[in-house]
Amino acid sequence: MSTLYPQNNRSRMVTDLSGYWDFRFPGDEKWQPVAVPASYNDQSPDPRFRNHAGITEYRRRITVPVAWKGMRVCLRFDAVAHSARILLDGKEIATHRGGFLPFEVELNGVMEPGETAELTVETDNRISHHTLPIGTEGQTAFFGSDNPGIPSVEAGKRFQQERGINRPAFDFFNYTGIQRPVRLVAMPRDYIRDITLVPSLNGEVRYHVETEGTAETVRVEILDADGVPAASSDGHEGVLQIRQPCLWEPWPGTPYLYTARITYGEDLYEQPFGIREIRVDGTRFLINGRPFRFHGPCKHEDSPFHGRGADPCLNVTDINLYHWLNANCFRTSHYPYAEEMYQLCDREGIVIVDETPAVGMWADEHYGWDLGGYHLQVLKEMIDRDRNHPCVVMWSLGNEPDTDTLPDKAYEYWHPLYEAAHRLDPQNRPVTVVGCQNRYERDKVIRSMDVVLINRYYGWYNLSGDLEAAKYAFRQELDWWEKQKKPVILSEYGADTVAGLHGAVAEMFTEEYQVAFYEAMSECLDERDFVIGEMPWNFADFDTCQGPMRVGGNRKGLFTRERRPKMAAHWFRQRWKDFSEDK
Ligand code: GCB
């Protein structure tokens, strides 16, 4: 069920529960302080904070203000990784599966205004073949030195399994806990539950408002960016007409935003939106009828101290660094990000490819994962949450599944999700799933998407250190894609680079090699008209689980984890400046 982002206005009230909560691991008697929102993992030198797999407990007291008498009162969790059990005074009131999307719990009938209760949130960070993202179930560690078949190593692996090892099937640290804000929210009993807006370039805005209660009228008023009324209508659904609409244009254009002010009985909700149109036409990706070229590094939610914790300061810093880079987009690799980031990108004109947490569905797992309908549910929840954001221009069903071992089986799995995404999105955005470096001629899934997104590591994981061979091989593949007559985005490519490591000869891990790598790949990309985008991997260095290929995390950032530019960041800044000037 969708849950509108909390808002403070004349009808609605919000109490932010951020701060120090009590925290403990199972078996602990003593509680210790932990900051919310943030991942708990880096908040203590106790190794359990990094390594614990299983349940943890968070607790604090909450009070429903007397002034909220007669209102609908909820607890709103923006995200708890990866699943949560919510208790009030020791009694379970809700459970939730999934670590990257919001949920709310109604408190009416459970707590009265004026009452105080003890709120406990149990989090569970275990990942498996039944979760998204996927965890390895006793199989090889990601990028691990697994040496299959050596009896002593195999014995060691069994020893690990018996002790409950829980490893990610993906290349980012399995950060967990209450990573996004928790709030107490109050709204009138008759309330606005959901809003759908579908704008067109001619200024028509189709809308649909879902309500709960017996109030009579819904009123929708559109305000322009100066707060001046631009159109209005009554009723749960209808069409509004804005005269001479200002369009939402991606950076460096003006990302003009309107606000839909919705009233229903005593309730009020203000939903920002933009007027823009997305269309794929042949091998072109059109925003407002004009070809759009994606250029911007993929991201992670990742920073020192906070881990994956929501951090508005970091968001602003990062988006300003996107402006500095002359970048215009990113993909939310590999999970839906905190809602504030999308709000910021709406405002700043940065385009987003919005991705589900379906990552780790790769070769070694051999279709061993078993999700039931959960993948579809997550996709639906993501679209419900993000569908009104003008910055979101494409849905990604997931990252790097194995689609070439059993191509038909893979198609049977992914095609219904592709169709569902189209059906579920009232704005009918293009849909993709990001392909890993595989036997692309066997695969049937990636080429069936509206836009082909491919991750390639020529010159890094293969043909390592030999950029001439990397270019040669990449050109061979691009020749093949040219024949598919689809728009293609290079959605990941990169080289681990230790900031400050230099070489007169550009060798792997030096800053010089990272630049040479991007020069080589860009040379190939620039020859092809059907390539409509480049998304280097990654914006910044980020934390991963331990492994022989990771020195203090993944070092493919254009920036360090602390957001200091490497040479490659300066290089892209110039390249993308030239792009924007070409426009
Ligand atoms: C990939 C994955 C990404 C990794 C990256 C790497 O293909 O999609 O999650 O971090 O490669 O650096 O190996």
Side-chain angles (χ1 to χ4, degrees), residues 449-493:
M449 295 290 142
D450 299 320
V451 181
V452 168
L453 268 71
I454 49 173
N455 299 346
R456 294 297 181 261
Y457 287 92
Y458 293 108
W460 189 255
Y461 291 122
N462 53 68
L463 309 169
S464 314
D466 185 345
L467 293 174
E468 285 310 311
K471 281 194 285 186
Y472 178 81
F474 189 32
R475 284 188 171 117
Q476 299 269 311
E477 180 175 352
L478 288 172
D479 285 345
W480 188 86
W481 282 110
E482 189 137 33
K483 296 194 197 97
Q484 311 309 312
K485 308 238 173 296
K486 286 262 168 146
V488 171
I489 296 176
L490 186 58
S491 42
E492 274 184 31
Y493 57 125

Side-chain angles (χ1 to χ4, degrees), residues 81-102:
H82 292 292
S83 63
R85 190 164 162 249
I86 316 299
L87 303 99
L88 264 193
D89 287 336
K91 214 174 116 231
E92 176 182 303
I93 55 165
T95 59
H96 184 261
R97 181 179 182 191
F100 301 96
L101 289 162

Side-chain angles (χ1 to χ4, degrees), residues 6 42 72 98 102 111 134 224 262 265 327 340 358 370 392 447 451 460 468:
D42 292 346
R72 174 174 186 257
M111 268 180 92
I134 302 264
D224 71 13
I262 293 134
E340 294 79 12
D370 173 14
V392 174
R447 75 178 85 158
V451 181
W460 189 255
E468 285 310 311

Side-chain angles (χ1 to χ4, degrees), residues 575 577-583:
R575 173 172 165 82
K577 179 164 181 270
D578 298 342
F579 279 10
S580 348
E581 282 167 4
D582 283 355
K583 267 200 158 179

Side-chain angles (χ1 to χ4, degrees), residues 97 126-142 154 157-158 160-162 164-170 360-362 364-371:
R97 181 179 182 191
R126 276 169 295 183
I127 41 181
S128 68
H129 289 169
H130 307 278
T131 60
L132 290 178
I134 302 264
T136 62
E137 288 193 1
Q139 297 188 24
T140 53
F142 186 73
E154 294 302 327
K157 284 193 230 164
R158 283 195 296 279
Q160 282 187 319
Q161 267 174 51
E162 277 154 23
I165 187 142
N166 193 244
R167 301 205 62 142
F170 47 85
M361 300 166 86
W362 49 295
D364 286 11
E365 305 294 320
H366 280 293
Y367 294 88
W369 18 268
D370 173 14
L371 297 162

Side-chain angles (χ1 to χ4, degrees), residues 307-323:
R308 190 147 292 121
D311 181 347
C313 169
L314 183 72
N315 289 346
V316 172
T317 304
D318 283 359
I319 292 306
N320 282 331
L321 288 174
Y322 271 69
H323 290 327

Side-chain angles (χ1 to χ4, degrees), residues 171 334 399-400 455 457 461 492 537 542 550 554 556:
D171 181 36
H334 295 306
N399 181 66
E400 297 199 339
N455 299 346
Y457 287 92
Y461 291 122
E492 274 184 31
W537 187 260
F542 59 91
R550 294 289 173 260
N554 188 309
K556 295 193 186 70

